[in-house]
Amino acid sequence: MTVADGYTCAFCNELFPSKNGLFRHLRNSGCTASAAADGLEIKRPTERVALVLGVATSSHSWWQPFWRALDVARGAPDHGPSYAALAEQGVAPGAFSSERDAKDMLKACDVLSLTTEVVAPEDCSAWCARANDALPEDIRIFGRYGPLPADFHAERCCMRRYFTCLLPTKLLVVDNPNEVGQGALATSLTEEPPPVEEQRKMKCKFSPPTARRKHAKKQHQAGWGEGNTGEERLGQFFRLKEILREFQGEHLFHNFSQEALKPTDTLARRFVYRCRAVPGDAVGLTVAVDSLAPGQLRAMAGLAIALQRQLLPDSYLEAAFSEEQLLKVPLVPEGTEYQAQCVFRKDFHHLLQPLFEGEEAQNFRKKVEEKIAQEFLDKVFQTWFEEQLVPLTQKLSVEFNNKKPADTSAEVPDVKQEVPKAYAEVLRLLREAERSGTWPACSKGREKVIKASEGEHGSFTVGSMPPSMEAPNGNRLFPELAMRCFELERILKPGRCSSTIAINKRAQFLPHIDSGAGAGQGISLIVGLGDYSGGELCVENDSHDIRYKPLEFNGWTQRHWTKPFQGDRFSLVWFTPAGCENCPGLEMFQKILQAGSSRLSSSLRLANGLELPRLGMGTWQLDDKDGSSTCETAVTAALKAGCQLFDTASIYKNEAAVGRALEGKNEGVFVTSKCSPYEMGFDKAQEACRKSLERLGRNKLDLYLIHWPGVPKKPHTSPLHRRARHETWKAMEELYRQHLVRAIGVSNFTASHLQQLIEDGIEVLPMVNQIELHPLYQPAETIEFCRKHGIIIEAYSPLGGGSASNRARASDGEIDGTRLLLTHPTVQAIAKETGKTSAQVLLRWALQQDFMVIPRSSKPDRIHENFDLFDFQLSQEQMHTISAARLQLMKAFTKLVTGFITRWAKLRDRSSAGTPKACPRRGALW
């Protein structure tokens, strides 16, 4: 109701000077319920607030009375939805800073962020008091602060957390050297420390207490006692500080978790900002971290006690951080740790700090410590030490000291032995596959769990994969090896019929469990082959010698890894991915090999999913002159031979001829063009692409490449080349985004060019790298880089470059790669064996290595011959023989080049003839 001098509440008759004051009263007073019952709709404004609280109960359901108490403080359900009801339904009304790491710990300090009804600043204390009256004594709210920004989140905005584990002082600082379980420490208290050299032999990382006596006398602290006893106690405490200092920094804590973690798990790698011990009636082991792995603090405390009492060797700590193995680490009893403090972003922390440091919060912390001390510090810890820690560390110490890691720097011992007959053929094929140079690169996922080493290692898969995944490259590269491996499985375990095999060479696996496509498989089978020592397989903590001794284990649930080894170690792992249960590998490869395995897929899939024909036609040097277009005639002949991919470039000056020959043939025909060195740069490259499209008569290119990794007429060392590559690639990405090109790539780029391009910052990785490639020239570094990054290699001059190559021009036509290749006895012998021509054998050699191939010819009969490649296959032995013939061919090249240089030098002295020009298609002179 209203009066002349203000507004009066109809329920309590209190007078207010304005309507706003009256409604504020109705929203936030005892009259709220009456107003709601009277039918008045009141929407209470809300704000983002932080509640600072403490929890001194180990009950997992402490949140139930907590949310009910908040409902009491805010007057729910009359003033909004019940928090307790929401929590029962699994809907969290707010977020705790302890949600991730200390959900079930005691909490001397915790923060809750939630959006709740507005409370006037002067009423916050009363609001907290109402909540505390409804809470049990072991849960307290220290204060409420608001409003805060809407994005404040207690868990996400907490930058650092402090956790403390309370430990009995007598476990860490010993009064009686003869106490049970004292181990070597009893001796160290009464004897002088051994010499430095002796300490090194004993792997003593931390100084014994007696080594600290001199320091202790100078820096004696009160409370440690007088005389030698005080010095000894202080010396022990200094040793403890040295141990704890080693925990600081970034480490792998996979061995410190009560859950089964692997070194590759994100949760395993933690950063400890600070680790210290605070002396008192009990020693508080406090760490400052972003977050903890489950059980990490208890494990750190358990290992610190074991090291301090010298129940474990000092080197055990470093080994526990190693990614190469799993070690058991003792844990102190559960319930001894608590969350001590939270540190938030600067813009939030100074607002909450008064609540963190208030008297009520400090008293509650003491209450938490007293609770832990009463329950654990006396009998529980003593029993744990005598009945669990001492027996466990005795066992761990013996196991650890018996381990003899392989000395990889030493000479490889003579480990050759007679190969069991069942393994002989598989081992022969494995070594042949390694020599072939076509061993596939590791997948990115598998590379993460293999220890990096100086030697060459690798791992690939053969067999079946789930329908959503592509067939492994190993099926095509090594079908005979795959079949023999599946046959070996049936010999070793007649009841097994796996669908898939992982084939590994010199791969030392880190602790991991199998995942990805194979998830769901029950039992794996593994065996080691080759001349090596060491390399045992560890499954959880059991070590197994698998050299010609097959072992079954559950790779999907059991952590397993490889011990260090020396020599050439191969291993085979048979398994069945989920979805491949009805695809036995042996039967699959028997059918493939019976059918001759002569069919290659006609296309290759690029990184963006676009499929391009793996065999196409190059058009370099095919003229387009008035009245006579060699290029147009050749393209027409290639179409009749079944060619679907045509490669041209602006610098070839025949794009118009290609366009005329392909006029009206857009479906099923793919065209590649290139941005020349004269067109490099962000704006020029985009304009060049549009002009190429105009000349070709098309509205979109299937593939557009940077023709050359440099600009013309600049020194080789000029930084302009790198800058031009990057600017041009940004233009290529823009063309790709504008859908003017379906795929983008490069040409003539080496591995270093590609690496620089990635380092300079790109959004789209090149999908194709077109390079000169044939048995005479196999740039291994570039090939390996491209395969590792999923870049398809497109081989030009696959027959050796012909009489128009740079090499031929530089030698007046005497060095002809095509002539050397086509007439080489090895190539001719294989051509005779297969009933094909030498050219077809060389092209098939490139196709079987998963290269796109673009031979060039202007003669219709040879064009037809170049596309008749899919009715035969080269064996692994034939592939290897052709690849190895490179050494013989290079000798012939060297002889010709040496002779040419000698003759050219003599001619140069007699005349002023200039040097031959470099060809834009090939680049600099050979």
Side-chain angles (χ1 to χ4, degrees):
M1 61 182 293
T2 63
V3 294
D5 55 350
Y7 299 85
T8 304
C9 174
F11 305 105
C12 66
N13 296 322
E14 186 175 348
L15 182 66
F16 298 91
S18 65
K19 284 184 179 180
N20 287 340
L22 173 61
F23 278 100
R24 194 160 42 244
H25 165 73
L26 291 175
R27 285 193 299 265
N28 301 287
S29 70
C31 298
T32 304
S34 301
D38 203 39
L40 185 63
E41 291 186 10
I42 299 177
K43 293 182 180 180
R44 301 184 67 183
T46 59
E47 63 181 353
R48 193 69 171 169
V49 301
L51 300 183
V52 181
L53 63 140
V55 180
T57 176
S58 56
S59 171
H60 298 308
S61 57
W62 66 268
W63 53 268
Q64 293 174 332
F66 178 79
W67 291 122
R68 286 196 293 269
L70 292 194
D71 284 339
V72 170
R74 51 195 284 268
D78 297 328
H79 291 178
S82 167
Y83 288 162
L86 289 174
E88 288 287 353
Q89 297 169 13
V91 180
F96 293 94
S97 66
S98 60
E99 186 70 27
R100 180 171 52 180
D101 299 315
K103 195 172 184 179
D104 298 324
M105 280 188 194
L106 302 187
K107 290 167 271 288
C109 176
D110 199 0
V111 176
L112 167 69
S113 59
L114 79 163
T115 300
T116 188
E117 293 79 15
V118 173
V119 173
E122 61 271 16
D123 296 332
C124 283
S125 297
W127 189 93
C128 293
R130 290 197 300 272
N132 283 328
D133 289 342
L135 282 170
E137 288 296 321
D138 51 10
I139 305 176
R140 293 287 94 183
I141 296 175
F142 309 140
R144 162 177 170 155
Y145 187 90
L148 288 167
D151 64 341
F152 175 75
H153 189 281
E155 199 275 328
R156 290 197 289 265
C157 294
C158 187
M159 307 302 293
R160 197 170 299 174
R161 299 165 177 81
Y162 286 79
F163 297 93
T164 298
C165 185
L166 283 187
L167 306 172
T169 303
K170 65 179 181 179
L171 281 186
L172 299 164
V173 180
V174 182
D175 291 325
N176 180 13
N178 298 317
E179 187 179 347
V180 176
Q182 181 55 36
L185 187 56
T187 305
S188 67
L189 289 171
T190 56
E191 296 180 358
E192 288 298 319
V196 175
E197 290 299 324
E198 190 65 27
Q199 289 188 44
R200 288 176 182 170
K201 292 179 182 179
M202 297 168 59
K203 298 183 179 179
C204 295
K205 183 178 180 66
F206 310 111
S207 303
T210 49
R212 289 292 189 175
R213 283 188 177 181
K214 185 176 181 181
H215 177 74
K217 289 178 181 178
K218 292 181 180 179
Q219 304 292 336
H220 199 66
Q221 297 178 11
W224 291 105
E226 299 298 331
N228 290 339
T229 302
E231 292 172 11
E232 288 168 356
R233 288 168 60 84
L234 184 56
Q236 292 176 52
F237 189 71
F238 282 140
R239 173 183 163 85
L240 176 63
K241 290 172 67 175
E242 283 187 4
I243 294 172
L244 298 183
R245 198 175 294 123
E246 292 300 312
F247 286 107
Q248 295 180 166
E250 185 178 60
H251 299 290
L252 286 173
F253 285 95
H254 57 289
N255 287 317
F256 292 76
S257 174
Q258 63 191 37
E259 295 182 0
L261 292 183
K262 310 178 294 296
T264 53
D265 289 337
T266 304
L267 192 57
R269 188 171 292 278
R270 301 288 92 186
F271 194 100
V272 177
Y273 295 95
R274 190 174 184 184
C275 184
R276 63 173 182 169
V278 180
D281 295 336
V283 174
L285 173 58
T286 301
V287 296
V289 294
D290 294 329
S291 63
L292 286 172
Q296 177 183 331
L297 181 57
R298 291 169 50 218
M300 291 170 64
L303 185 55
I305 293 172
L307 293 173
Q308 173 73 349
R309 301 293 290 262
Q310 295 191 5
L311 298 171
L312 288 173
D314 292 351
S315 55
Y316 200 89
L317 177 58
E318 184 178 355
F321 287 143
S322 171
E323 66 177 2
E324 298 180 18
Q325 58 187 326
L326 299 180
L327 290 177
K328 190 171 182 61
V329 174
L331 281 76
V332 299
E334 190 173 2
T336 55
E337 76 273 51
Y338 66 91
Q339 180 171 293
Q341 187 180 347
C342 304
V343 178
F344 287 86
R345 281 170 22 192
K346 288 183 178 179
D347 47 341
F348 296 136
H349 190 80
H350 74 282
L351 302 174
L352 303 177
Q353 193 165 2
L355 299 178
F356 294 153
E357 298 176 353
E359 183 179 356
E360 188 175 3
Q362 298 303 316
N363 290 336
F364 194 84
R365 177 170 181 159
K366 293 178 182 177
K367 180 178 181 178
V368 170
E369 292 180 348
E370 289 171 0
K371 179 181 177 66
I372 295 174
Q374 290 173 4
E375 295 181 6
F376 294 99
L377 292 192
D378 294 327
K379 293 183 179 179
V380 173
F381 260 108
Q382 186 65 31
T383 303
W384 167 81
F385 180 79
E386 295 176 0
E387 298 181 5
Q388 295 185 38
L389 183 64
V390 172
L392 175 62
T393 51
Q394 288 175 347
K395 178 183 176 182
L396 295 179
S397 184
V398 171
E399 292 177 353
F400 183 74
N401 289 327
N402 288 339
K403 289 181 180 180
K404 296 179 179 179
D407 182 7
T408 55
S409 62
E411 292 184 5
V412 178
D414 185 8
V415 291
K416 291 187 178 180
Q417 70 175 52
E418 185 177 349
V419 179
K421 186 176 179 181
Y423 298 90
E425 180 62 12
V426 170
L427 184 58
R428 182 188 71 80
L429 291 171
L430 284 168
R431 288 170 172 164
E432 186 177 290
E434 182 182 18
R435 290 194 305 269
S436 70
T438 58
W439 192 286
C442 287
S443 66
K444 292 182 179 179
R446 198 169 291 179
E447 190 73 45
K448 291 178 181 178
V449 296
I450 296 179
K451 181 184 177 183
S453 60
E454 294 181 3
E456 195 175 326
H457 65 265
S459 177
F460 68 93
T461 303
V462 296
S464 299
M465 298 299 283
S468 60
M469 302 184 68
E470 292 185 5
N473 283 337
N475 292 0
R476 177 186 50 76
L477 293 172
F478 308 113
E480 184 181 0
L481 170 61
M483 188 184 75
R484 298 303 179 196
C485 290
F486 280 113
E487 287 177 345
L488 177 61
E489 180 194 29
R490 300 288 176 91
I491 295 171
L492 301 178
K493 298 287 181 180
R496 291 183 61 97
C497 52
S498 300
S499 69
T500 314
I501 308 174
I503 300 177
N504 313 304
K505 70 168 182 180
R506 289 189 289 278
Q508 183 183 344
F509 283 86
L510 304 174
H512 70 286
I513 59 173
D514 299 327
S515 58
Q521 159 72 3
I523 301 298
S524 300
L525 176 68
I526 186 171
V527 72
L529 306 87
D531 299 328
Y532 68 93
S533 63
E536 293 86 357
L537 179 74
C538 294
V539 181
E540 291 301 336
N541 282 302
D542 296 327
S543 179
H544 305 272
D545 179 9
I546 62 168
R547 189 183 183 204
Y548 302 121
K549 298 175 183 178
L551 171 72
E552 287 188 312
F553 68 102
N554 193 327
W556 315 112
T557 61
Q558 295 177 301
R559 293 172 295 175
H560 52 283
W561 69 98
T562 313
K563 286 188 176 181
F565 57 86
Q566 295 174 270
D568 291 331
R569 180 184 186 274
F570 295 95
S571 64
L572 306 174
V573 185
W574 290 270
F575 61 97
T576 301
C580 300
E581 293 80 4
N582 298 318
C583 306
L586 178 58
E587 286 73 8
M588 177 180 117
F589 280 97
Q590 284 174 340
K591 291 178 181 177
I592 290 175
L593 291 174
Q594 286 171 2
S597 188
S598 60
R599 293 188 182 88
L600 278 174
S601 62
S602 60
S603 61
L604 285 174
R605 179 174 294 180
L606 307 189
N608 67 346
L610 175 65
E611 292 194 358
L612 291 179
R614 66 168 72 225
L615 181 61
M617 178 183 177
T619 62
W620 176 56
Q621 287 196 328
L622 295 182
D623 298 332
D624 180 28
K625 297 179 180 178
D626 293 338
S628 175
S629 177
T630 306
C631 180
E632 191 172 348
T633 302
V635 171
T636 302
L639 282 170
K640 292 179 181 179
C643 179
Q644 294 180 294
L645 173 66
F646 297 90
D647 178 87
T648 183
S650 61
I651 207 167
Y652 298 170
K653 301 189 183 303
N654 60 13
E655 288 176 315
V658 174
R660 291 195 301 271
L662 299 180
E663 188 174 359
K665 297 179 176 64
N666 294 324
E667 197 67 31
V669 173
F670 302 84
V671 178
T672 301
S673 191
K674 309 180 194 72
C675 172
S676 79
Y678 300 94
E679 298 166 327
M680 294 179 76
F682 186 79
D683 295 326
K684 290 168 70 175
Q686 293 187 67
E687 181 63 24
C689 179
R690 290 181 171 86
K691 288 183 178 179
S692 289
L693 286 170
E694 184 179 341
R695 288 189 290 266
L696 287 162
R698 305 177 83 82
N699 55 17
K700 183 182 293 186
L701 275 172
D702 298 290
L703 179 61
Y704 196 48
L705 310 176
I706 300 177
H707 202 154
W708 189 254
V711 292
K713 301 178 182 179
K714 297 295 179 185
H716 179 71
T717 56
S718 172
L720 294 177
H721 298 303
R722 182 169 182 171
R723 187 185 310 163
R725 289 194 295 270
H726 186 247
E727 290 178 358
T728 306
W729 186 255
K730 301 308 285 185
M732 304 288 276
E733 291 178 334
E734 184 62 28
L735 292 168
Y736 182 61
R737 281 190 290 267
Q738 293 175 10
H739 303 290
L740 290 175
V741 295
R742 301 175 69 191
I744 51 178
V746 295
S747 179
N748 297 297
F749 274 47
T750 64
S752 61
H753 293 142
L754 291 166
Q755 181 63 45
Q756 288 174 2
L757 193 62
I758 294 171
E759 290 172 356
D760 291 340
I762 58 176
E763 297 177 24
V764 181
L765 204 64
M767 301 167 193
V768 173
N769 185 14
Q770 187 185 104
I771 59 174
E772 181 180 352
L773 197 152
H774 45 75
L776 186 63
Y777 180 65
Q778 304 170 50
E781 185 180 359
T782 300
I783 293 172
E784 182 180 354
F785 185 94
C786 290
R787 282 178 169 161
K788 184 176 181 180
H789 290 82
I791 302 171
I792 296 294
I793 292 177
E794 187 173 29
Y796 70 72
S797 297
L799 300 180
S803 61
S805 67
N806 278 334
R807 297 179 177 90
R809 289 187 174 196
S811 62
D812 246 354
E814 290 193 37
I815 300 178
D816 187 332
T818 301
R819 187 191 310 157
L820 282 175
L821 283 170
L822 295 181
T823 60
H824 192 276
T826 297
V827 178
Q828 289 182 333
I830 295 175
K832 187 175 181 180
E833 291 173 9
T834 57
K836 293 292 181 178
T837 66
S838 295
Q840 288 173 319
V841 167
L842 294 170
L843 294 175
R844 182 75 192 194
W845 172 86
L847 288 174
Q848 285 186 206
Q849 296 186 75
D850 262 355
F851 301 140
M852 291 174 66
V853 185
I854 48 170
R856 175 197 51 91
S857 179
S858 60
K859 298 179 180 180
D861 55 339
R862 289 188 179 173
I863 291 173
H864 186 273
E865 177 185 309
N866 289 345
F867 287 90
D868 185 19
L869 304 176
F870 293 93
D871 59 349
F872 77 106
Q873 181 178 2
L874 300 178
S875 68
Q876 291 185 36
E877 185 176 353
Q878 290 169 334
M879 291 286 291
H880 173 63
T881 302
I882 295 172
S883 298
R886 174 174 178 253
L887 298 175
Q888 302 173 20
L889 292 166
M890 284 305 296
K891 290 179 182 178
F893 256 132
T894 304
K895 184 177 179 181
L896 284 170
V897 171
T898 304
F900 165 74
I901 291 175
T902 303
R903 292 194 300 275
W904 183 80
K906 292 178 181 178
L907 290 172
R908 182 191 58 185
D909 294 338
R910 298 175 186 174
S911 66
S912 57
T915 59
K917 292 182 179 179
C919 171
R921 181 68 172 87
R922 301 287 197 260
L925 290 174
W926 183 74

